[in-house]
Amino acid sequence: MMADYTVRDQVAVIELDNPPVNALGSAVRAGIYDGIRKADRDPNIKAVVICGKRGTFCAGADIREFDGGKNGPWITDIGDFIDNMKKPVVAAIEGFALGGGLEVALFCHYRIALKTVRVGQPEVQIGLLPGGGGTIRLPRATGLKNALDIITTGNHVPAEKAAKMGIIDQIVTGDIIEEGIKFVKSKCNIDTSLVCLRMKTVKYSGDLDDISEAAMTKVKSKFKGAIAPIVCVKSVINSAKMPYEKGIDTEKEHFQDLRHSSQSKAMRYAFFAERAITRWQLPSGGNYKTAKPLPVKTSGVIGAGTMGGGIALCLITSGIPCILVEQNQQFLDKGLEIVKAQLMRTVQLGKLSTEQAKKCFTMLKPTTNIEDLKNVDLVIEAVYEDLKLKREIFEKLDRICKSETILCTNTSSLHIDSIATATKRQSKVVGTHFFAPSYIMKLLENIYGTKTSAETVATVMKLGKTIKKVPVLVGSCTGFVANRMLKPYSEEAQYCLEEGSTPSIVDTVLMDFGMPIGNFQVSDLSGLDIGFRIKREAARKAGVELSKNSRFFLGQRNCGLIEKLYEAGRMGKKNGKGWYKYESLNGKPIVDPEVTMLIEEHCRSLGIERRNIGSQEILERMQYAMINEGFKILEEGLCTMAEEIDVIWIYGFSWPKYMGGPMYYASQIGLKKIYEKVCYYHKTFPYSMHWVPSSLLAKLSQIDLPLSEWGDVAQGRKLVNKL
Ligand SMILES: CC(C)(COP(=O)(O)OP(=O)(O)OC[C@H]1O[C@@H](n2cnc3c(N)ncnc32)[C@H](O)[C@@H]1OP(=O)(O)O)[C@@H](O)C(=O)NCCC(=O)NCCSC(=O)CC(=O)CCCCCCCCCCCCC(=O)O
Ligand SMILES: NC(=O)C1=CN([C@@H]2O[C@H](COP(=O)(O)OP(=O)(O)OC[C@H]3O[C@@H](n4cnc5c(N)ncnc54)[C@H](O)[C@@H]3O)[C@@H](O)[C@H]2O)C=CC1
């Protein structure tokens, strides 16, 4: 049994015991169920404490069991039994009580917790609803409004807040089991039916239909395309509409539907993918187990532009003081204004109090003197995407900074070695690629160079976690993983413009698929000058002219629209005009007839005939080209597992989690079909190198292997010819 049963002072103590997080697998559920029945039968037992081993209560159902195979008692059987017990049962909580863990606690007559505890119903984040009575019992504990909020967002609630909400009865200090025993013994004479949540009514104010409608509208706009939040609202509303038993039965039906849904399967995959990618390893052998991160107590950022200001903000809001360096006072003042505005917005959103924001701001030391960085532990460079400039800065940093300082670059495309070789500390140079807007987007693509040490990698992987990002380690190549895959994706979007589409049609197709924002909107957000500079750098390197009127560039199909927009002074959102126009910095994209004319003129001048392009073709061309590139990345060993690519797209480009990421999406479509289409487009568009089929894709399309093994095949850890 995975729940220990002991007796102390006439109190039965049931301790959940399933490492690492006491997930409620079938054996644990059986252990709790047997434990409470045993305690109830035993006349010497006066009360029961349910708690968890290893400093945590329970992280909910065992997510791995959702694919079927294991049974055991249904979780609400435990609740039904406790509801009929005369002996009081207390949940004594430390660590987490999440999902089914909180539901077990809500079955108990009382809940006590340490101050550090966090509770929550995060099921919605894996495409489910709390299926163990959570949608029916939580509203009885805390009222409809709070329950709707907790269940539809999946956010964790700290103990003290949960106590104020009526979810926790008492906050305690000391040994949680001792406290549980003391607490429950003081309740031995009460009538348990009076404190049983089943017997309570759901509190709410206003009209139930209005509450339901408002909650539906909110989740539909906040979690566009996701089914689970909608079902969560329905079920929570049922708690007030239906008798307890009917509510529970309906909840179980909803849970089972969602459990089998493609969205939940994709989100469960994403949950484990996010954890798998923390087990990084370098080709040189260093890995997450052996490498020790260096402490980062102070930091510096160079460049307070679109990216640098946000990066500095990530550091200071995570308690790491930061020296922000600009090239002159004018740029510094402009950058600081943006940092301040972003901090204010954080306050408006209730994520920081005014006091906390003020305190954060004192941790930022603006300067125009790069020498001020001499004593910091880590520097992140975020100046223009210009190799010469970046090399100059790294050469300077190498001279100025103490020998232990780690030097990071936020380059979006340049090889790490091409920057690291400007220093005499290549082992301490690493790419830390943030995504725009850098304060908001969760991905941190960390890139190792040929000589980057495991210690340096461990430091930036840990830093990523500290600043609340999702760090993924990848190898170096032009554009790394994210932008390398984005290139064929965006190029196909631009080719679709040339062939007959428009920015808003392409973006609408992508948003209908589930992307929160379209390709051309992203491009405007990043700045069109970035794309232009990358192309100009490629031309410079190859020693050729960048010609906006040529249909070929470096032997490949070329679309010169970016150059034409750049030349027309369209830099993107930052100057109010890019692929769209904007009325303000926070304004919405507006279709600009000037751009339509520019595209049409471009086609006329090059003799390109425009046609109607269907949404399926747009989607397929953008996605399959990028997926094909993903397989090439795996093949080249720049990622060690396909999961890394998916996490990069989920957190860097907001690929809908309920679609699992592009590689998972490919696995659902079937690699055979993807490969055939890639071959078809390769034949149709022979001058686009991104359509050359990946040999790994070709190989995997012949066999049926789970995604988790694709990286093994790519790296030769699994030999497919033996299958
Ligand atoms: C808890 C955390 C906040 C901890 O975070 P952190 O410290 O950062 O550690 P992690 O790296 O995240 O995790 C460590 C390690 O633990 C694994 N893990 C964590 N949680 C779970 C879990 N719930 N199940 C399984 N494994 C878990 C994690 O993967 C890591 O291991 P690794 O992958 O090997 O590295 C954080 O972990 C967290 O947030 N966890 C998830 C919390 C969560 O989402 N909980 C909700 C779960 S869903 C739930 O509870 C559903 C219900 O409420 C319904 C109850 C119904 C119960 C009935 C089940 C029936 C099963 C179906 C029967 C099928 C029969 C048939 O038809 O055949
Ligand atoms: N904009 C985006 O979406 C993304 C950009 N990047 C990368 O981040 C880097 C910065 O890009 P952006 O912030 O968009 O550029 P930006 O043009 O908005 O800002 C660059 C800043 O660097 C400053 N700067 C230039 N030379 C300097 C020097 N010698 N000393 C101090 N400051 C100096 C400039 O004054 C400017 O404020 C680039 O390498 C870019 O490729 C990475 C991810 C996304």
Side-chain angles (χ1 to χ4, degrees):
M1 283 299 149
M2 293 170 97
D4 267 11
Y5 183 95
T6 51
V7 177
R8 298 197 210 171
D9 203 10
Q10 291 192 295
V11 175
V13 178
I14 301 171
E15 276 180 281
L16 278 52
D17 182 11
N18 185 15
V21 291
N22 299 329
L24 276 182
S26 51
V28 178
R29 297 197 303 275
I32 304 173
Y33 193 50
D34 289 351
I36 48 168
R37 282 187 303 171
K38 187 169 167 186
D40 195 50
R41 274 196 311 268
D42 186 342
N44 293 319
I45 299 293
K46 301 286 179 235
V48 182
V49 171
I50 302 183
C51 53
K53 288 204 167 173
R54 284 169 301 277
T56 201
F57 188 74
C58 172
D62 186 340
I63 301 167
R64 291 189 201 274
E65 283 189 5
F66 289 154
D67 289 329
K70 296 254 174 81
N71 276 311
W74 190 255
I75 180 170
T76 49
D77 295 347
I78 298 169
D80 290 345
F81 192 87
I82 296 177
D83 282 346
N84 290 311
M85 278 174 76
K86 302 266 181 297
K87 300 175 185 179
V89 182
V90 66
I93 309 170
E94 56 184 336
F96 292 102
L98 300 175
L102 180 56
E103 290 171 321
V104 167
L106 293 169
F107 296 150
C108 298
H109 301 115
Y110 299 100
R111 288 152 294 282
I112 65 165
L114 297 183
K115 205 174 159 182
T116 48
V117 156
R118 285 194 285 159
V119 303
Q121 299 285 177
E123 290 87 343
V124 72
Q125 291 171 1
I126 47 170
L128 297 171
L129 91 171
T135 64
I136 308 301
R137 290 178 95 102
L138 190 64
R140 285 172 159 75
T142 183
L144 207 57
K145 186 172 175 294
N146 288 340
L148 274 170
D149 188 44
I150 293 170
I151 291 171
T152 58
T153 62
N155 289 343
H156 295 178
V157 186
E160 283 179 330
K161 190 169 176 200
K164 280 193 193 127
M165 287 178 159
I167 301 168
I168 304 272
D169 296 295
Q170 194 172 309
I171 304 284
V172 296
T173 48
D175 180 83
I176 194 68
I177 301 185
E178 294 302 327
E179 290 301 318
I181 294 171
K182 198 160 64 179
F183 182 94
V184 84
K185 283 183 76 174
S186 72
K187 305 289 180 191
C188 283
N189 295 324
I190 60 121
D191 174 356
T192 52
S193 69
L194 297 177
V195 285
C196 171
L197 283 175
R198 174 196 290 250
M199 309 307 287
K200 305 233 157 144
T201 52
V202 176
K203 292 205 176 82
Y204 61 90
S205 56
D207 178 79
L208 202 52
D209 290 336
D210 291 345
I211 297 172
S212 171
E213 204 181 304
M216 282 295 182
T217 310
K218 193 169 164 187
V219 298
K220 280 182 188 166
S221 93
K222 198 166 172 192
F223 310 107
K224 226 179 112 229
I227 307 166
I230 295 173
V231 184
C232 284
V233 171
K234 270 190 202 156
S235 196
V236 174
I237 296 292
N238 283 347
S239 73
K241 261 190 184 161
M242 294 179 173
Y244 177 86
E245 286 76 12
K246 181 133 195 272
I248 289 280
D249 289 348
T250 315
E251 179 199 75
K252 188 173 171 184
E253 281 167 27
H254 285 318
F255 175 80
Q256 293 293 25
D257 289 345
L258 288 176
R259 180 166 75 88
H260 294 293
S261 70
S262 61
Q263 289 202 355
S264 176
K265 284 180 186 162
M267 290 174 97
R268 273 139 49 191
Y269 155 79
F271 175 86
F272 289 112
E274 210 179 302
R275 278 141 187 96
I277 57 129
T278 61
R279 296 186 268 277
W280 58 269
Q281 56 183 50
L282 286 172
S284 57
N287 64 47
Y288 73 103
K289 273 194 219 152
T290 52
K292 293 264 168 296
L294 292 173
V296 180
K297 297 209 172 94
T298 52
S299 66
V301 169
I302 310 181
T306 308
M307 297 302 287
I311 297 171
L313 201 50
C314 292
L315 292 159
I316 56 171
T317 51
S318 306
I320 304 174
C322 175
I323 297 173
L324 182 59
V325 184
E326 252 296 345
Q327 55 177 331
N328 61 40
Q329 194 60 42
Q330 194 195 346
F331 277 105
L332 190 57
D333 291 342
K334 196 172 148 214
L336 284 175
E337 278 314 306
I338 299 172
V339 174
K340 266 189 211 156
Q342 183 68 59
L343 254 181
M344 296 268 286
R345 186 147 173 71
T346 314
V347 172
Q348 280 160 5
L349 291 172
K351 292 185 179 166
L352 284 181
S353 67
T354 312
E355 279 315 300
Q356 284 168 322
K358 276 188 187 155
K359 197 172 160 216
C360 279
F361 205 65
T362 62
M363 279 198 267
L364 191 68
K365 296 275 175 273
T367 179
T368 52
N369 184 3
I370 197 168
E371 304 267 344
D372 290 348
L373 297 175
K374 62 176 185 281
N375 287 322
V376 298
D377 296 326
L378 178 140
V379 178
I380 301 176
E381 163 278 311
V383 303
Y384 307 126
E385 189 72 346
D386 178 325
L387 181 60
K388 191 164 162 279
L389 174 64
K390 287 190 193 277
R391 280 185 66 87
E392 274 167 24
I393 287 181
F394 271 71
E395 192 269 324
K396 243 188 228 169
L397 286 172
D398 194 30
R399 260 190 294 116
I400 296 166
C401 296
K402 58 181 180 178
S403 59
E404 307 86 66
T405 306
I406 289 180
L407 305 181
C408 313
T409 171
N410 184 50
T411 173
S412 47
S413 64
L414 302 168
H415 267 277
I416 301 308
D417 288 354
S418 70
I419 298 170
T421 47
T423 74
K424 294 192 186 71
R425 56 173 96 184
Q426 290 190 53
S427 67
K428 290 195 173 291
V429 178
V430 65
T432 48
H433 182 205
F434 289 75
F435 286 71
S438 47
Y439 181 56
I440 309 285
M441 294 307 284
K442 299 271 282 176
L443 179 65
L444 179 62
E445 190 180 32
N446 287 330
I447 311 112
Y448 59 86
T450 316
K451 297 203 170 145
T452 309
S453 70
E455 182 185 67
T456 300
V457 169
T459 307
V460 291
M461 291 302 277
K462 172 142 187 266
L463 178 73
K465 285 258 175 203
T466 309
I467 62 174
K468 296 171 203 75
K469 301 282 179 199
V470 178
V472 184
L473 183 68
V474 303
S476 184
C477 62
T478 305
F480 321 125
V481 172
N483 285 343
R484 178 168 157 182
M485 286 178 76
L486 194 64
K487 187 168 177 277
Y489 178 85
S490 310
E491 281 176 354
E492 281 304 317
Q494 287 174 40
Y495 298 155
C496 286
L497 294 193
E498 277 189 338
E499 290 169 36
S501 200
T502 68
S504 72
I505 292 178
V506 171
D507 284 354
T508 306
V509 167
L510 294 171
M511 289 190 285
D512 286 349
F513 171 80
M515 302 298 288
I517 118 172
N519 171 76
F520 294 105
Q521 292 171 16
V522 173
S523 174
D524 277 354
L525 202 62
S526 303
L528 265 62
D529 49 326
I530 297 274
F532 175 77
R533 282 172 204 272
I534 291 172
K535 249 177 142 175
R536 193 179 56 185
E537 179 65 18
R540 191 196 59 78
K541 249 182 163 169
V544 296
E545 284 278 299
L546 188 59
S547 168
K548 56 184 189 268
N549 284 322
S550 170
R551 297 200 64 192
F552 293 93
F553 176 55
L554 305 178
Q556 285 201 59
R557 179 173 178 180
N558 177 50
C559 169
L561 278 170
I562 282 249
E563 290 92 312
K564 287 184 178 169
L565 264 75
Y566 181 83
E567 202 178 70
R570 307 190 75 99
M571 299 294 154
K573 206 164 182 180
K574 57 185 157 194
N575 77 341
K577 45 190 193 163
W579 294 103
Y580 298 90
K581 63 180 175 186
Y582 302 86
E583 277 166 0
S584 68
L585 208 57
N586 290 323
K588 288 201 175 345
I590 303 166
V591 171
D592 190 344
E594 245 185 57
V595 175
T596 317
M597 272 161 51
L598 201 146
I599 296 170
E600 285 170 358
E601 174 50 33
H602 168 84
C603 294
R604 252 194 312 275
S605 69
L606 293 172
I608 303 170
E609 210 170 300
R610 291 171 65 75
R611 65 185 168 96
N612 262 335
I613 308 182
S615 46
Q616 180 62 22
E617 180 182 337
I618 293 174
L619 210 55
E620 237 176 52
R621 283 173 60 181
M622 291 183 69
Q623 292 181 336
Y624 291 9
M626 166 262 272
I627 287 168
N628 188 38
E629 201 64 34
F631 280 99
K632 289 180 187 169
I633 282 167
L634 264 186
E635 201 174 297
E636 291 167 30
L638 297 164
C639 280
T640 56
M641 47 183 128
E643 287 89 336
E644 286 163 337
I645 295 174
D646 283 338
V647 172
I648 283 173
W649 273 79
I650 290 172
Y651 289 105
F653 301 129
S654 303
W655 179 281
K657 213 184 241 187
Y658 59 74
M659 295 267 194
M663 302 306 267
Y664 178 84
Y665 179 64
S667 76
Q668 300 304 294
I669 290 173
L671 298 194
K672 191 165 180 299
K673 178 171 173 205
I674 302 261
Y675 177 65
E676 281 166 5
K677 281 282 181 174
V678 168
C679 292
Y680 164 78
Y681 285 122
H682 180 40
K683 227 175 172 179
T684 315
F685 305 112
Y687 295 108
S688 295
M689 294 308 279
H690 55 240
W691 286 122
V692 174
S694 143
S695 53
L696 178 65
L697 173 61
K699 198 188 276 184
L700 290 170
S701 70
Q702 306 294 314
I703 48 178
D704 191 21
L705 269 190
L707 178 154
S708 57
E709 293 179 20
W710 296 352
D712 295 336
V713 173
Q715 313 237 318
R717 291 188 296 260
K718 187 168 192 108
L719 298 176
V720 288
N721 53 1
K722 288 200 179 150
L723 291 170

